[in-house]
C-alpha cells in the first residue's frame, strides 16, 4: 500500500484535482484506490460533491486530521487498510493542516504495511502572493515538504503569478518537480495523475 | 494546523421559490449570493478567504457546487441543475481571516436572507458552532472509496 498526501492551503483546488484525476489513475494503474478526506467544519461540502460525483463516501462523525490526529487518522487509516486492502490511499487533509505533522504522525502507524509515503502540494497560482504574505512560514513549510508541487489554476493566473510561484520555489533552493495545471478546466491533469502514482 | 486566527460559519437554507425557475435562473441566483457573501465579508474586514463554499440542490437531485476564494468575489462552479424547480436547498460554509466569528455569522446570514428572498421564501438552519479550530471536535472526517 502506498500513501499520497494531497496538501495545500484552503481553496487551492485539492478536491477538484482529486476528482479530476482519480478515475484516470484507476484506469491507468488498475489499482484499488481509497481517498481519506478531512473536511473542515460541520458541513462536509467537498464530501457531498465527491458522493454526488459517484464516489462512495463513508462519513465519520468526529475526528480531524489536524486536531485529533493521533487517534482518529491512524485508526481510520488502519481500518481502511484492513477492510479494503487498497493499493493506493490518497489523504487529503483540510487546507489548514500542516502536512509535516501528518508525516511525523505516520511514524506511529501500526497497521498494514505502508510501502511509500509521498506528498503532493497544490498551490493556488492566483492567490499565492496573498497567502504567502498572510502566512509566509506555513506556505514555505508546505512547499519544502512536497515531492511534487502542482501550480493550479493556470487558466486564470497571469504569467507573472505563475512565475512568482516558480521563483519562490527556486529561492528556497528546492529542485522539486513543478507541474502547471488547471483542475477545474482539466488542463494538464494527465501529468498530475501520472505524478500522483509515480512521484 | 497552520493557523488559528480564522473564523468559520456554516448554514443551510431552504427556499420555496415564488414560481418554478429554470436552471439558468437558479444558477445565477446561487452564484450571485456567493459573490455577495464574499464581497460583503471583504467590505467588513475579511483580508483572506479560506473558502466560501456551497452546494445547492433541487427537487430532481441535480446539484451545483460553488466556491469563492478570491477577494474580488469570483465564483467557480461545477455540476449544474437539470430541470425547472420550485424549491432550492443550499448549504454554505464560510471560512475566512479578518472577521470575528459573530460578525462573520451576521454577515453571512444577512446576505443569504437578502439574496435568496429575491427568489422566494427562505428558511435558514444553522449547522452548529464553527467559530474556530481550537475545539477540534466540530468537524468530520470522511472516507471516500472508489
Amino acid at each position: 500500500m502506498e500513501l499520497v498526501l494531497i496538501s495545500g492551503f484552503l481553496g487551492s483546488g485539492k478536491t477538484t484535482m482529486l476528482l479530476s484525476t482519480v478515475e484516470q489513475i484507476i484506469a491507468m494503474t488498475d489499482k484499488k484506490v481509497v481517498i481519506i478526506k478531512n473536511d473542515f467544519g460541520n458541513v462536509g461540502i467537498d464530501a457531498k460533491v465527491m458522493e454526488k460525483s459517484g464516489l462512495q463516501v463513508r462519513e465519520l462523525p468526529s475526528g480531524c486530521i489536524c486536531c485529533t490526529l493521533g487517534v482518529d487518522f491512524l485508526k481510520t487509516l488502519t481500518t481502511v487498510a484492513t477492510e479494503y486492502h487498497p493499493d493506493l490511499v490518497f489523504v487529503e487533509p483540510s487546507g489548514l493542516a500542516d502536512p509535516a505533522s501528518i508525516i511525523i504522525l505516520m511514524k506511529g502507524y501500526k497497521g498494514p504495511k505502508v510501502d511509500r509515503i509521498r506528498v503532493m502540494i497544490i498551490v493556488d497560482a492566483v492567490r499565492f502572493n496573498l497567502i504567502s504574505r498572510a502566512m509566509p512560514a506555513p506556505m514555505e513549510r508546505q512547499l519544502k515538504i512536497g515531492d511534487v508541487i502542482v501550480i493550479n489554476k493556470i487558466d486564470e493566473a497571469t504569467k507573472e503569478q505563475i512565475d512568482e510561484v516558480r521563483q519562490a520555489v527556486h529561492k528556497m533552493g528546492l529542485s522539486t518537480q513543478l507541474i502547471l495545471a488547471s483542475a477545474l478546466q482539466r488542463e494538464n491533469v494527465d501529468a498530475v495523475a501520472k505524478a500522483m502514482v509515480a512521484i | 494546523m497552520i493557523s488559528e486566527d480564522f473564523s468559520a460559519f456554516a448554514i443551510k437554507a431552504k427556499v420555496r421559490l415564488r414560481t418554478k425557475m429554470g436552471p439558468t435562473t437558479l444558477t445565477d441566483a446561487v452564484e450571485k449570493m456567493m459573490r455577495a457573501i464574499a464581497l460583503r465579508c471583504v467590505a467588513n474586514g475579511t483580508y483572506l478567504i479560506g473558502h466560501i463554499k456551497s452546494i445547492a440542490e433541487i427537487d430532481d437531485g441535480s446539484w451545483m457546487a460553488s466556491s469563492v476564494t478570491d477577494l474580488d468575489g469570483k465564483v467557480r462552479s461545477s455540476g449544474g441543475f437539470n430541470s425547472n424547480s420550485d424549491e432550492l436547498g443550499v448549504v454554505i460554509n464560510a471560512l475566512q481571516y479578518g472577521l470575528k466569528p459573530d460578525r462573520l455569522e451576521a454577515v453571512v446570514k444577512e446576505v443569504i436572507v437578502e439574496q435568496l428572498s429575491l427568489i422566494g421564501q427562505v428558511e435558514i438552519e444553522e449547522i452548529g458552532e464553527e467559530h474556530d479550530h481550537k475545539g477540534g471536535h466540530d468537524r468530520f472526517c470522511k472516507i471516500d472509496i472508489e
Side-chain angles (χ1 to χ4, degrees), chain A residues 16 20 152 155-156 182-187 189, chain B residues 76-78:
Chain A
T16 311
S20 297
N152 192 25
D155 55 317
E156 296 175 28
S182 165
L184 196 63
Q185 300 303 327
R186 294 180 176 259
E187 198 176 331
V189 292
Chain B
R76 297 174 180 89
S77 297
S78 59

Side-chain angles (χ1 to χ4, degrees), chain A residues 28-48:
Chain A
M28 204 162 66
T29 62
D30 203 27
K31 285 184 174 176
K32 189 169 185 183
V33 176
V34 167
I35 302 169
I36 298 178
K37 174 163 175 53
N38 178 207
D39 253 355
F40 174 80
N42 289 341
V43 186
I45 288 181
D46 286 343
K48 283 190 206 304

Side-chain angles (χ1 to χ4, degrees), chain A residues 41-42 56 58 127 156, chain B residues 49 53 76 130 138 143 145:
Chain A
N42 289 341
Q56 285 180 53
R58 199 174 88 183
R127 293 192 303 153
E156 296 175 28
Chain B
I49 297 172
K53 290 181 186 179
R76 297 174 180 89
E130 286 201 79
D138 60 346
I143 307 175
I145 299 147

Side-chain angles (χ1 to χ4, degrees), chain B residues 19-52:
Chain B
T19 54
K20 272 203 177 230
M21 290 182 177
T24 308
T25 312
L26 291 168
T27 299
D28 287 349
V30 172
E31 291 192 338
K32 198 174 162 203
M33 174 196 72
M34 292 295 284
R35 188 174 302 112
I37 293 171
L39 294 178
R40 190 81 54 92
C41 283
V42 172
N44 278 273
T46 295
Y47 64 88
L48 178 63
I49 297 172
H51 60 232
I52 299 171

